Amino acid sequence: MGRARRVQTGRCWAGHRGLGVSMDMWNFFYTCLVSLWLQRFYIYSAAAFGISIWIVIQLTTTKTKKKGEKSHGNPAASEEDKLVNGHATLQAKEVCVAGVKVFYGSQTGTAKRFAKSLAEAVVSLNLPVEVISMGDCDPDDCLSEETSSRNICVFLVATYTDGQPTESAAWFCKWLEEAANDFRFGNMYLKGLRYAVFGLGNSVYVDHYNTVGRNIDRWLWMLSARRIMTRAEGDCNVAQSKHGSIEADFEAWKAKFLSRLQMLCRGEKKPCSGKCKKGKCKSPEKQSKESSEREQRASEYENTEAEELFETSSEEEADAEEAGGTNSVVDVEDLGNIMSHMKKAKRERELEEGDIGMSLTQENAGKKEEGEREMVTPALREALTKQGYKLIGSHSGVKLCRWTKSMLRGRGGCYKHTFYGIESHRCMEATPSLACANKCVFCWRHHTNPVGTEWRWKMDQPEMILQEAIENHQNMIKQFKGVSGVKAARFEEAMTAKHCALSLVGEPIMYPEINRFVKLLHQHSISSFLVTNAQFPDEIRNLEPVTQLYVSVDASTKESLKRIDRPLFKDFWQRFLDSLKALSEKQQRTVYRLTLVKAWNVDELKAYADLISLGKPDFIEVKGVTYCGESSASSLTMANIPWHEEVVLFVQELADLIPDYEIACEHEHSNCLLIAHKKFKINGEWCTWINYDRFQELVQEHERSGGSKTFTAADYTARTPHWALFGSRERGFDPLDVRYQRKNKARDISGC
């Protein structure tokens, strides 16, 4: 009993002990929880601090890792790190532009000259530069190398006949065109190449103006090359040139290019225009994009909508790449936004074009008030002066003919002396218009004169032109005073000009005051021999009487005329035919002048005969083309020069096809023959020479009568001497020619 009581008592004590332990643990946790709650602010602060430290460590580690990868994959990035660390060295800046390569395609040398000028300017910026002819490089190799070279490529390209590239640039352009349209190359083939284009052209050729420059710009763009600036175009037509001449156009572009090049060297984009509101600039991308769009729309507002798709600026392309990333594939979902953006840009462009058109109209009106531009630019003046021209005013010139020098020395005269009795030592070769509407392959001036289809230049008065022409001619004659061999009597006669050959260069009939000029010549007792290229029929009809009116008939078919004369007018053939019809209406002496170019126009006899029946000229001069040396502007060679025997054969065959004409005269030295209408064979004798005194009397009577009293070619003819006739022993040599006398003496001695 007692034992059971003790066991029960022990169990109660153990239960009380377990309960006490549990109460102590609860009290402990409760105390801790209360302490944490009371100290919660400090705990939160410590946790936030720890999290912040962890975030900073993670960001720093990630940035360091990316920068290391970038530096490892791109050497240029390591140079940029130096800039970040404060070491902005010259070496780091040069990475942006390693150098400049200038590619040129030239026919007459202008683009080559511009390329050298640009190279000199780039060298002054302490940048390496290389000038390369497009004909001397393989475009596949040289262009692909520039995608990673960090060079700036400049293309100076001229547009040649019918919008084609020059001979030296033909293969370069052909390859580039094929690459741009060949899917095997891929549209990213030239990605990384940075370039600028300056085109050389003539706006007179409306359909082909600067075609080559525009094409190269477009093809490069299609291959993902990036422009550093908008394409520029130089214009040989001084009337339309933005800066007055193609040289001035180039200089203006060159200044912009050099400025842009310096910015690229510094790693900069377009500069602030200074028109920001409150002195704060817009974002560089947006501001440069808007500036580029304004420049582009102002310079190319005349381009078609189709071409404008290719006329984005470099910044616009950069924005497009940033928006689309490196992947050129566009998601279908993004097409709606892209089309909306293009439509909006087009509407804005059309609105601004309206404003530009109005401003340009006002600007052109202002220019007209200020006066027209001069035809002869400073560069052209220098080139013509080197060729011996004495330039008069802004569009006229005079030059001493070699036959004038020959006759001063007692030697023979030119073929006009043989055919028409001109005294070559008293003949003044001049023109009131240096401009021409053709660019003939056999041009003896190598196309240094300007071209145009209408008069759009400043005009000098005919009185001033004639006075200075006579003065310049006399000054050139004076230089022969005392020269060995010069005949004193002929020197004195030469001081008074008796004839004026308006055939020096260009198209004299283009001069708006040509009739006044011709009248002034006649008032000074100077005969007038005017040559036209048969492209101005209305001017021929309105022309006052001249001593002799020439029309150049260089070909007898539309195709050959286009190939040989390379006319500016689109309707050149109709103008040509109308000019011949207008010639048939003239009552004074008229002449067809045929220039034979071997393998070009010597096989068209029947067609020539048809043209003769159309214009009914009094005379037909047939002359073998004269080779004036190699010219980059012409493909003419010595192989195209016919022998005198070949010219004689051509004339004989042609004469057989025109029954109203016969061969009258010959001048072997000039490789020239004269076919004359039979009405000038009077009583069995040829009368192709001119009675110049009688002509002056007739023209004065015509002017005194107010034009009512007319006269014809038969009214002032003179008998042709025997030595000038075709088939004579002299073969056109004047017996008074000292050279003929020596030749004849040697012939008599040899018994031939």
Side-chain angles (χ1 to χ4, degrees):
M1 177 88 178
R3 180 174 179 146
R5 186 182 181 87
R6 285 196 296 273
V7 172
Q8 183 177 3
T9 304
R11 290 176 178 173
C12 292
W13 181 83
H16 286 293
R17 187 179 178 185
L19 180 62
V21 173
S22 299
M23 292 297 292
D24 291 341
M25 291 181 64
W26 167 252
N27 291 335
F28 174 75
F29 283 114
Y30 176 78
T31 303
C32 290
L33 289 173
V34 172
S35 298
L36 289 173
W37 174 255
L38 294 175
Q39 304 297 325
R40 63 184 182 277
F41 175 76
Y42 300 103
I43 295 173
Y44 294 162
S45 300
F49 180 74
I51 294 173
S52 300
I53 294 295
W54 179 81
I55 293 174
V56 170
I57 292 173
Q58 292 297 320
L59 291 175
T60 304
T61 303
T62 304
K63 185 175 181 180
T64 304
K65 183 178 180 181
K66 289 183 177 179
K67 188 176 293 185
E69 292 176 354
K70 184 177 179 181
S71 299
H72 179 74
N74 186 3
S78 61
E79 295 295 337
E80 292 174 0
D81 290 342
K82 295 181 181 180
L83 291 173
V84 174
N85 294 328
H87 302 287
T89 63
L90 180 61
Q91 182 180 2
K93 291 185 179 181
E94 288 180 347
V95 173
C96 297
V97 178
V100 176
K101 287 190 176 181
V102 184
F103 298 87
Y104 70 87
S106 181
Q107 190 72 26
T108 61
T110 304
K112 182 178 181 180
R113 187 173 73 251
F114 287 173
K116 292 181 178 179
S117 173
L118 181 62
E120 293 174 357
V122 172
V123 169
S124 66
L125 300 179
N126 296 321
L127 281 174
V129 63
E130 185 178 358
V131 178
I132 305 171
S133 170
M134 290 181 173
D136 297 335
C137 69
D138 185 346
D140 194 3
D141 294 335
C142 66
L143 292 183
S144 58
E145 291 174 357
E146 302 308 322
T147 58
S148 58
S149 66
R150 292 187 174 271
N151 288 325
I152 302 297
C153 296
V154 180
F155 299 90
L156 306 178
V157 287
T159 299
Y160 198 43
T161 306
D162 293 333
Q164 297 300 313
T166 60
E167 294 179 6
S168 62
W171 166 244
F172 190 100
C173 294
K174 180 178 177 59
W175 179 90
L176 193 59
E177 180 183 13
E178 291 177 350
N181 295 284
D182 191 341
F183 70 93
R184 292 171 295 181
F185 280 87
N187 60 359
M188 308 296 286
Y189 187 71
L190 295 181
K191 182 176 174 61
L193 184 148
R194 295 178 293 176
Y195 73 96
V197 175
F198 180 85
L200 294 81
N202 193 321
S203 60
V204 174
Y205 295 93
V206 179
D207 293 340
H208 307 298
Y209 176 54
N210 262 311
T211 301
V212 177
R214 296 178 182 183
N215 285 341
I216 287 181
D217 186 28
R218 182 170 68 254
W219 294 331
L220 290 170
W221 182 88
M222 292 171 65
L223 292 170
S224 295
R226 177 180 293 182
R227 303 181 186 92
I228 65 168
M229 59 190 299
T230 305
R231 182 191 72 247
E233 299 176 346
D235 193 351
C236 290
N237 183 8
V238 296
Q240 293 294 325
S241 171
K242 185 176 180 181
H243 300 91
S245 68
I246 193 170
E247 290 80 10
D249 291 340
F250 172 74
E251 290 299 326
W253 172 83
K254 183 173 73 172
K256 292 181 180 179
F257 172 79
L258 295 176
S259 175
R260 179 72 175 133
L261 184 62
Q262 290 175 310
M263 291 168 56
L264 291 173
C265 290
R266 296 191 296 266
E268 299 177 4
K269 289 189 176 183
K270 288 280 187 177
C272 173
S273 62
K275 298 180 180 180
C276 309
K277 294 183 179 180
K278 299 182 180 179
K280 297 181 180 180
C281 292
K282 302 177 182 178
S283 64
E285 295 84 359
K286 184 176 180 180
Q287 196 275 335
S288 61
K289 178 178 178 180
E290 292 177 356
S291 177
S292 175
E293 288 177 345
R294 285 195 300 270
E295 292 178 1
Q296 180 182 330
R297 285 195 288 265
S299 62
E300 300 181 357
Y301 70 98
E302 293 180 344
N303 288 356
T304 63
E305 179 180 342
E307 186 167 347
E308 285 175 355
L309 295 175
F310 301 99
E311 293 306 312
T312 56
S313 66
S314 57
E315 284 73 22
E316 290 172 326
E317 294 168 7
D319 291 343
E321 287 188 4
E322 292 173 3
T326 58
N327 190 354
S328 61
V329 179
V330 180
D331 292 336
V332 176
E333 291 83 355
D334 296 332
L335 287 176
N337 294 332
I338 293 174
M339 294 304 297
S340 177
H341 174 73
M342 292 179 64
K343 290 179 180 179
K344 181 179 178 181
K346 180 181 177 181
R347 287 195 299 269
E348 293 176 354
R349 181 165 60 249
E350 290 173 349
L351 290 174
E352 292 195 13
E353 283 177 354
D355 296 336
I356 293 173
M358 292 178 62
S359 62
L360 288 175
T361 301
Q362 295 172 355
E363 182 180 350
N364 291 336
K367 286 181 179 179
K368 289 182 179 180
E369 292 177 359
E370 294 174 4
E372 304 292 344
R373 290 175 176 171
E374 293 188 358
M375 178 188 296
V376 181
T377 64
L380 183 58
R381 184 177 295 273
E382 180 181 359
L384 292 173
T385 301
K386 286 182 179 179
Q387 296 179 28
Y389 288 86
K390 300 298 181 182
L391 298 183
I392 303 167
S394 62
H395 54 75
S396 307
V398 63
K399 189 179 182 182
L400 203 62
C401 176
R402 74 181 185 91
W403 289 107
T404 300
K405 305 172 187 177
S406 174
M407 212 161 189
L408 279 171
R409 297 180 177 181
R411 301 174 180 178
C414 68
Y415 71 89
K416 294 188 186 72
H417 171 61
T418 300
F419 295 170
Y420 315 118
I422 274 185
E423 299 173 274
S424 299
H425 64 295
R426 304 186 68 181
C427 181
M428 176 177 66
E429 193 173 22
T431 181
S433 171
L434 292 165
C436 186
N438 291 345
K439 301 187 75 173
C440 305
V441 295
F442 51 77
C443 178
W444 61 321
R445 306 304 182 189
H446 297 315
H447 310 112
T448 50
N449 56 304
V451 293
T453 57
E454 60 180 338
W455 192 273
R456 306 187 67 175
W457 304 279
K458 175 184 175 182
M459 188 185 70
D460 299 326
Q461 295 302 310
E463 291 81 5
M464 182 274 290
I465 296 174
L466 180 58
Q467 179 181 352
E468 293 195 15
I470 293 175
E471 291 176 358
N472 279 286
H473 179 75
Q474 290 175 340
N475 290 334
M476 288 185 286
I477 294 294
K478 289 177 182 178
Q479 297 175 5
F480 288 85
K481 186 175 183 179
V483 174
S484 176
V486 172
K487 305 296 182 180
R490 291 192 175 183
F491 177 83
E492 292 299 325
E493 291 175 345
M495 291 301 295
T496 303
K498 188 177 180 181
H499 317 285
C500 180
L502 296 172
S503 59
L504 176 62
V505 68
E507 182 64 85
I509 208 168
M510 281 182 67
Y511 177 49
E513 295 293 341
I514 185 63
N515 281 327
R516 283 178 57 195
F517 184 79
V518 168
K519 288 181 179 180
L520 287 171
L521 286 173
H522 299 160
Q523 290 173 9
H524 285 75
S525 298
I526 299 175
S527 64
S528 52
F529 289 74
L530 191 148
V531 181
T532 176
N533 289 317
Q535 289 296 296
F536 297 92
D538 292 337
E539 285 74 6
I540 292 177
R541 291 189 181 92
N542 298 329
L543 185 67
E544 291 288 329
V546 295
T547 308
Q548 190 154 282
L549 177 60
Y550 288 78
V551 168
S552 295
V553 181
D554 302 323
S556 58
T557 65
K558 182 178 181 180
E559 293 73 22
S560 58
L561 186 68
K562 181 179 181 180
R563 185 174 66 253
I564 295 174
D565 280 4
R566 296 187 294 187
L568 274 63
F569 285 106
K570 295 180 182 179
D571 57 341
F572 66 93
W573 182 246
Q574 189 59 48
R575 284 177 167 271
F576 178 76
L577 297 178
D578 290 344
S579 295
L580 300 186
K581 294 176 183 177
L583 191 76
S584 66
E585 301 169 3
K586 309 303 289 186
Q587 294 183 322
Q588 290 72 49
R589 295 166 64 108
T590 58
V591 184
Y592 273 13
R593 186 169 69 172
L594 276 62
T595 302
L596 298 187
V597 184
K598 199 172 180 179
W600 286 54
N601 63 356
V602 295
D603 300 323
E604 304 169 348
L605 287 168
K606 181 62 172 63
Y608 276 119
D610 294 338
L611 292 180
I612 291 171
S613 63
L614 180 65
K616 300 179 177 61
D618 295 322
F619 305 97
I620 306 163
E621 294 178 2
V622 183
K623 186 178 185 299
V625 65
T626 301
Y627 185 64
C628 301
E630 183 179 354
S631 169
S632 56
S634 173
S635 57
L636 200 68
T637 67
M638 280 299 297
N640 300 115
I641 313 303
W643 295 96
H644 184 64
E645 290 75 11
E646 293 173 314
V647 176
V648 172
L649 180 61
F650 177 90
V651 170
Q652 289 174 337
E653 293 177 352
L654 178 61
D656 292 339
L657 298 176
I658 44 179
D660 293 333
Y661 295 83
E662 288 183 8
I663 305 175
C665 303
E666 176 185 19
H667 192 255
E668 185 182 38
H669 190 96
S670 296
N671 197 11
C672 185
L673 285 89
L674 179 69
I675 300 176
H677 196 281
K678 291 180 179 179
K679 66 182 180 182
F680 290 94
K681 196 171 188 180
I682 304 173
N683 298 326
E685 292 187 343
W686 282 111
C687 297
T688 64
W689 276 36
I690 299 173
N691 186 334
Y692 294 100
D693 294 334
R694 179 57 182 160
F695 170 79
Q696 295 296 342
E697 294 174 358
L698 292 171
V699 78
Q700 290 175 11
E701 293 176 2
H702 173 77
E703 292 180 6
R704 283 196 297 266
S705 66
S708 60
K709 189 172 184 179
T710 61
F711 59 98
T712 64
D715 295 332
Y716 54 100
T717 60
R719 188 180 65 85
T720 307
H722 179 270
W723 57 264
L725 299 178
F726 174 68
S728 67
R729 179 185 180 185
E730 294 82 1
R731 299 177 71 87
F733 282 95
D734 189 339
L736 298 179
D737 185 348
V738 294
R739 292 175 301 178
Y740 171 75
Q741 293 174 358
R742 296 193 194 107
K743 181 179 179 181
N744 192 39
K745 183 177 181 180
R747 182 187 300 164
D748 292 339
I749 293 175
S750 64
C752 296

